[in-house]
Amino acid sequence: MDEKKEQAPAEHAVSPGVAEQLEQIKKVVPDTSQRLFDFLVDNLKAIAIGCGVLILAVAVYAGVNQWRGRQAAKAADALGVILIEKTEPKARVAALESFLKDAPGSLRPTVLLELAAAAMIGQEYAKAATAWAELEGSSSADMQVIAGVGHAKSLLMQGKAPEALALLQALKAKSSEPYAMPITRQIAVAAEQAGNDKVALEAYSELAEKAEGAGKPYFEFKVNQLKSKS
Protein backbone atom coordinates (compact mmCIF):
# COMPACT_ATOMS: atom_id res chain seq x y z
CA MET A 1 0.00 0.00 0.00
CA ASP A 2 2.79 2.34 0.93
CA GLU A 3 4.58 1.49 -2.30
CA LYS A 4 1.56 2.53 -4.36
CA LYS A 5 1.37 5.83 -2.51
CA GLU A 6 5.01 6.49 -3.22
CA GLN A 7 4.59 5.62 -6.89
CA ALA A 8 1.42 7.67 -7.44
CA PRO A 9 3.10 11.04 -8.02
CA ALA A 10 5.44 9.49 -10.56
CA GLU A 11 2.50 8.70 -12.85
CA HIS A 12 2.04 12.41 -13.58
CA ALA A 13 5.66 13.50 -13.32
CA VAL A 14 7.26 15.31 -16.23
CA SER A 15 10.11 13.36 -17.73
CA PRO A 16 13.56 14.99 -17.67
CA GLY A 17 13.53 15.18 -21.47
CA VAL A 18 10.21 17.02 -21.57
CA ALA A 19 11.28 19.35 -18.76
CA GLU A 20 14.42 20.21 -20.68
CA GLN A 21 12.40 20.94 -23.82
CA LEU A 22 10.10 23.21 -21.85
CA GLU A 23 13.04 25.16 -20.47
CA GLN A 24 14.40 25.60 -24.00
CA ILE A 25 11.00 26.80 -25.21
CA LYS A 26 10.74 29.17 -22.26
CA LYS A 27 13.86 30.98 -23.45
CA VAL A 28 12.20 31.99 -26.73
CA VAL A 29 8.75 32.71 -25.34
CA PRO A 30 8.20 36.49 -24.89
CA ASP A 31 7.69 37.88 -21.38
CA THR A 32 4.11 38.77 -22.26
CA SER A 33 3.31 35.08 -22.72
CA GLN A 34 4.72 34.01 -19.34
CA ARG A 35 1.26 33.34 -17.93
CA LEU A 36 0.45 31.09 -20.89
CA PHE A 37 3.69 29.19 -20.37
CA ASP A 38 3.03 28.77 -16.63
CA PHE A 39 -0.48 27.53 -17.34
CA LEU A 40 0.81 24.92 -19.74
CA VAL A 41 3.50 23.74 -17.33
CA ASP A 42 1.07 23.53 -14.40
CA ASN A 43 -1.42 21.50 -16.38
CA LEU A 44 1.14 19.27 -18.05
CA LYS A 45 1.25 16.96 -15.03
CA ALA A 46 -2.45 16.21 -15.38
CA ILE A 47 -2.38 15.75 -19.15
CA ALA A 48 0.33 13.18 -19.76
CA ILE A 49 -1.01 12.11 -23.15
CA GLY A 50 -1.27 15.65 -24.45
CA CYS A 51 2.13 16.86 -23.31
CA GLY A 52 3.44 16.75 -26.86
CA VAL A 53 0.54 18.93 -28.03
CA LEU A 54 1.17 21.42 -25.26
CA ILE A 55 4.83 21.71 -26.16
CA LEU A 56 3.87 22.22 -29.78
CA ALA A 57 1.37 24.94 -28.78
CA VAL A 58 4.04 26.94 -26.96
CA ALA A 59 6.52 26.47 -29.77
CA VAL A 60 3.98 27.62 -32.35
CA TYR A 61 3.12 30.67 -30.23
CA ALA A 62 6.77 31.65 -30.06
CA GLY A 63 7.18 30.96 -33.74
CA VAL A 64 4.21 33.17 -34.65
CA ASN A 65 5.73 36.07 -32.72
CA GLN A 66 9.04 35.59 -34.51
CA TRP A 67 7.23 35.42 -37.85
CA ARG A 68 5.39 38.65 -37.07
CA GLY A 69 8.68 40.29 -36.22
CA ARG A 70 10.19 39.22 -39.54
CA GLN A 71 7.10 40.43 -41.44
CA ALA A 72 7.27 43.82 -39.70
CA ALA A 73 10.95 44.13 -40.61
CA LYS A 74 10.19 43.29 -44.24
CA ALA A 75 7.40 45.85 -44.31
CA ALA A 76 9.70 48.53 -42.87
CA ASP A 77 12.26 47.73 -45.56
CA ALA A 78 9.58 47.99 -48.25
CA LEU A 79 8.46 51.35 -46.90
CA GLY A 80 12.04 52.57 -46.95
CA VAL A 81 12.35 51.60 -50.62
CA ILE A 82 9.20 53.58 -51.44
CA LEU A 83 10.47 56.68 -49.69
CA ILE A 84 13.83 56.46 -51.44
CA GLU A 85 12.63 55.58 -54.93
CA LYS A 86 9.32 57.44 -55.20
CA THR A 87 10.45 61.06 -55.11
CA GLU A 88 7.69 62.45 -57.35
CA PRO A 89 4.78 63.35 -55.01
CA LYS A 90 1.93 61.72 -56.93
CA ALA A 91 3.92 58.53 -57.54
CA ARG A 92 4.76 58.43 -53.83
CA VAL A 93 1.11 58.92 -52.89
CA ALA A 94 0.05 56.04 -55.16
CA ALA A 95 2.74 53.73 -53.76
CA LEU A 96 1.92 54.62 -50.15
CA GLU A 97 -1.80 54.10 -50.71
CA SER A 98 -1.08 50.63 -52.05
CA PHE A 99 1.33 49.86 -49.21
CA LEU A 100 -1.17 51.07 -46.61
CA LYS A 101 -3.68 48.35 -47.49
CA ASP A 102 -1.54 45.64 -45.89
CA ALA A 103 0.70 47.73 -43.64
CA PRO A 104 1.35 46.39 -40.11
CA GLY A 105 -0.45 48.36 -37.42
CA SER A 106 2.84 49.56 -35.96
CA LEU A 107 3.80 51.20 -39.26
CA ARG A 108 0.42 52.68 -40.13
CA PRO A 109 0.91 56.10 -38.43
CA THR A 110 4.25 56.57 -40.21
CA VAL A 111 2.74 55.63 -43.57
CA LEU A 112 -0.19 57.99 -43.02
CA LEU A 113 2.14 60.88 -42.16
CA GLU A 114 4.21 60.28 -45.29
CA LEU A 115 1.04 59.95 -47.35
CA ALA A 116 -0.45 63.17 -45.99
CA ALA A 117 2.79 65.10 -46.59
CA ALA A 118 3.21 63.79 -50.14
CA ALA A 119 -0.44 64.48 -50.95
CA MET A 120 -0.13 68.06 -49.73
CA ILE A 121 2.96 68.63 -51.88
CA GLY A 122 1.27 66.96 -54.87
CA GLN A 123 -1.85 69.11 -54.34
CA GLU A 124 -4.00 66.04 -53.76
CA TYR A 125 -5.71 67.73 -50.86
CA ALA A 126 -8.68 65.37 -50.54
CA LYS A 127 -6.31 62.42 -50.06
CA ALA A 128 -4.28 64.44 -47.58
CA ALA A 129 -7.43 65.27 -45.64
CA THR A 130 -8.35 61.58 -45.40
CA ALA A 131 -4.90 60.68 -44.06
CA TRP A 132 -4.89 63.56 -41.57
CA ALA A 133 -8.39 62.64 -40.39
CA GLU A 134 -7.28 59.11 -39.50
CA LEU A 135 -4.24 60.44 -37.66
CA GLU A 136 -6.51 62.67 -35.59
CA GLY A 137 -7.69 59.50 -33.88
CA SER A 138 -4.23 58.93 -32.43
CA SER A 139 -3.84 58.42 -28.70
CA SER A 140 -0.97 60.95 -28.73
CA ALA A 141 -2.00 64.53 -27.93
CA ASP A 142 0.89 65.84 -30.03
CA MET A 143 -0.21 63.83 -33.03
CA GLN A 144 -3.80 64.97 -32.62
CA VAL A 145 -2.70 68.60 -32.88
CA ILE A 146 -0.37 68.00 -35.83
CA ALA A 147 -3.03 66.02 -37.65
CA GLY A 148 -5.75 68.53 -36.82
CA VAL A 149 -3.78 71.47 -38.17
CA GLY A 150 -2.77 69.45 -41.24
CA HIS A 151 -6.39 68.47 -41.83
CA ALA A 152 -7.48 72.09 -41.55
CA LYS A 153 -4.83 73.22 -44.05
CA SER A 154 -5.91 70.56 -46.53
CA LEU A 155 -9.51 71.77 -46.20
CA LEU A 156 -8.43 75.38 -46.73
CA MET A 157 -6.62 74.37 -49.92
CA GLN A 158 -9.85 72.80 -51.13
CA GLY A 159 -11.73 76.05 -50.54
CA LYS A 160 -13.51 74.68 -47.47
CA ALA A 161 -12.65 77.48 -45.07
CA PRO A 162 -15.77 77.21 -42.86
CA GLU A 163 -15.08 73.51 -42.27
CA ALA A 164 -11.44 74.23 -41.52
CA LEU A 165 -12.42 76.96 -39.07
CA ALA A 166 -14.84 74.69 -37.21
CA LEU A 167 -12.20 71.97 -36.98
CA LEU A 168 -9.59 74.37 -35.61
CA GLN A 169 -11.93 75.88 -33.04
CA ALA A 170 -12.80 72.41 -31.75
CA LEU A 171 -9.12 71.48 -31.72
CA LYS A 172 -8.17 74.54 -29.68
CA ALA A 173 -10.91 73.83 -27.14
CA LYS A 174 -9.49 70.41 -26.31
CA SER A 175 -5.76 71.10 -26.70
CA SER A 176 -3.36 72.08 -23.94
CA GLU A 177 -2.03 75.62 -23.47
CA PRO A 178 1.30 75.18 -25.34
CA TYR A 179 -0.65 74.61 -28.55
CA ALA A 180 -2.97 77.61 -28.13
CA MET A 181 -0.94 80.15 -30.10
CA PRO A 182 -0.12 77.98 -33.14
CA ILE A 183 -3.77 76.93 -33.43
CA THR A 184 -4.96 80.51 -32.97
CA ARG A 185 -2.79 81.59 -35.91
CA GLN A 186 -4.49 78.98 -38.06
CA ILE A 187 -7.91 80.07 -36.79
CA ALA A 188 -7.15 83.66 -37.81
CA VAL A 189 -6.26 82.58 -41.35
CA ALA A 190 -9.23 80.23 -41.69
CA ALA A 191 -11.66 82.83 -40.31
CA GLU A 192 -10.46 85.43 -42.80
CA GLN A 193 -10.83 83.01 -45.69
CA ALA A 194 -14.28 82.05 -44.45
CA GLY A 195 -15.29 85.73 -44.34
CA ASN A 196 -15.83 85.59 -40.59
CA ASP A 197 -14.30 88.92 -39.62
CA LYS A 198 -15.53 88.70 -36.03
CA VAL A 199 -13.66 85.47 -35.28
CA ALA A 200 -10.65 86.66 -37.29
CA LEU A 201 -10.49 89.87 -35.23
CA GLU A 202 -10.72 87.92 -31.98
CA ALA A 203 -7.91 85.61 -33.09
CA TYR A 204 -5.61 88.38 -34.28
CA SER A 205 -6.31 90.40 -31.13
CA GLU A 206 -5.26 87.44 -28.98
CA LEU A 207 -2.14 87.00 -31.07
CA ALA A 208 -1.25 90.70 -30.89
CA GLU A 209 -1.63 90.62 -27.11
CA LYS A 210 0.35 87.45 -26.44
CA ALA A 211 2.88 87.33 -29.29
CA GLU A 212 6.46 88.47 -28.94
CA GLY A 213 9.12 89.22 -31.53
CA ALA A 214 8.83 89.97 -35.25
CA GLY A 215 5.31 88.65 -35.64
CA LYS A 216 3.68 91.08 -33.21
CA PRO A 217 3.57 94.13 -35.56
CA TYR A 218 1.88 92.04 -38.24
CA PHE A 219 -0.82 90.85 -35.84
CA GLU A 220 -1.41 94.45 -34.69
CA PHE A 221 -1.71 95.53 -38.33
CA LYS A 222 -4.33 92.81 -38.95
CA VAL A 223 -6.29 93.93 -35.88
CA ASN A 224 -6.40 97.54 -37.12
CA GLN A 225 -7.29 96.38 -40.63
CA LEU A 226 -10.23 94.26 -39.44
CA LYS A 227 -11.45 96.96 -37.05
CA SER A 228 -11.56 99.47 -39.93
CA LYS A 229 -13.84 97.08 -41.86
CA SER A 230 -16.40 96.88 -39.08
Side-chain angles (χ1 to χ4, degrees):
M1 194 71 173
D2 294 337
E3 291 180 0
K4 289 183 178 179
K5 287 183 180 179
E6 292 175 359
Q7 291 175 357
E11 293 177 359
H12 301 297
V14 181
S15 69
V18 171
E20 183 179 348
Q21 290 181 53
L22 285 171
E23 287 304 316
Q24 291 298 318
I25 291 168
K26 185 174 180 180
K27 293 178 181 178
V28 299
V29 174
D31 292 340
T32 53
S33 62
Q34 185 61 48
R35 284 187 295 175
L36 171 63
F37 179 83
D38 291 340
F39 171 80
L40 294 176
V41 173
D42 291 343
N43 286 275
L44 185 59
K45 296 177 182 179
I47 315 175
I49 295 176
C51 73
V53 176
L54 293 173
I55 291 173
L56 179 62
V58 180
V60 168
Y61 186 87
V64 167
N65 278 331
Q66 290 176 356
W67 177 83
R68 286 175 177 168
R70 289 196 297 271
Q71 293 304 106
K74 287 181 181 179
D77 289 343
L79 176 59
V81 171
I82 291 173
L83 299 180
I84 291 171
E85 294 185 350
K86 304 297 182 181
T87 55
E88 196 278 321
K90 291 191 176 183
R92 177 175 286 198
V93 167
L96 289 170
E97 284 181 320
S98 178
F99 180 85
L100 191 61
K101 295 175 184 176
D102 299 310
S106 59
L107 278 180
R108 193 170 182 86
T110 301
V111 180
L112 286 167
L113 273 173
E114 293 290 348
L115 175 57
M120 293 292 284
I121 295 171
Q123 299 181 7
E124 297 186 81
Y125 301 119
K127 291 183 177 181
T130 299
W132 288 126
E134 183 172 340
L135 286 167
E136 284 178 287
S138 170
S139 59
S140 164
D142 293 331
M143 180 56 70
Q144 288 174 14
V145 174
I146 292 169
V149 171
H151 190 182
K153 286 186 176 180
S154 66
L155 290 172
L156 282 174
M157 298 307 292
Q158 293 178 76
K160 299 179 179 179
E163 292 180 37
L165 177 58
L167 188 159
L168 288 164
Q169 288 174 314
L171 182 64
K172 183 178 179 181
K174 67 179 182 180
S175 298
S176 57
E177 182 60 29
Y179 297 114
M181 291 290 281
I183 296 173
T184 301
R185 286 197 292 270
Q186 298 303 315
I187 287 174
V189 173
E192 268 201 291
Q193 288 193 28
N196 192 330
D197 291 343
K198 179 177 180 298
V199 173
L201 177 58
E202 291 173 352
Y204 279 120
S205 295
E206 181 180 346
L207 292 168
E209 179 184 349
K210 296 180 179 179
E212 297 178 357
K216 192 176 183 69
Y218 173 75
F219 297 140
E220 292 172 342
F221 164 76
K222 295 299 295 183
V223 169
N224 292 329
Q225 184 186 55
L226 287 166
K227 281 182 176 178
S228 66
K229 291 175 64 176
S230 58

